[in-house]
Amino acid sequence: IGPQAPVHVLIVPRRHIATLNDVSAEDDALVGSMLRRAAIIARDLGIAARGYRTGFHCNREAGQTVFHLHLHVLGGRPMNWPPG
């Protein structure tokens, strides 16, 4: 819903974690694997060399609308800073 770039992929773990605030030390491997998966996806989709952005939203003011942890992978266009 509402992709923000030509490539906009979500990485969603099977284990339910509502927000980034709820991640604990026991989730380190899970979050690490999400980030490694983001790099693989970027490479597979041909955006790794040009550049891509990853991000978690945490709570409503940051734009989180689905309260299940997920990592955004965006690319395929220049990513300006600051965002939004």
Side-chain angles (χ1 to χ4, degrees), residues 1-77:
I1 299 172
Q4 300 298 304
V7 174
H8 190 163
V9 177
L10 298 180
I11 299 171
V12 183
R14 289 189 177 116
R15 183 168 154 343
H16 177 73
I17 302 170
T19 76
L20 195 55
N21 288 337
D22 300 307
V23 170
S24 68
E26 291 80 32
D27 301 312
D28 287 356
L30 173 67
V31 174
S33 69
M34 292 172 73
L35 291 168
R36 284 189 307 278
R37 179 62 56 192
I40 292 166
I41 289 169
R43 185 194 68 226
D44 290 350
L45 295 177
I47 61 171
R50 289 178 46 205
Y52 60 98
R53 179 173 291 163
T54 62
F56 293 100
H57 299 286
C58 186
N59 288 323
R60 291 196 195 284
E61 285 194 15
Q64 186 177 8
T65 58
V66 175
F67 287 83
H68 184 104
L69 187 72
H70 56 283
L71 178 63
H72 295 257
V73 180
L74 299 112
R77 68 167 174 81

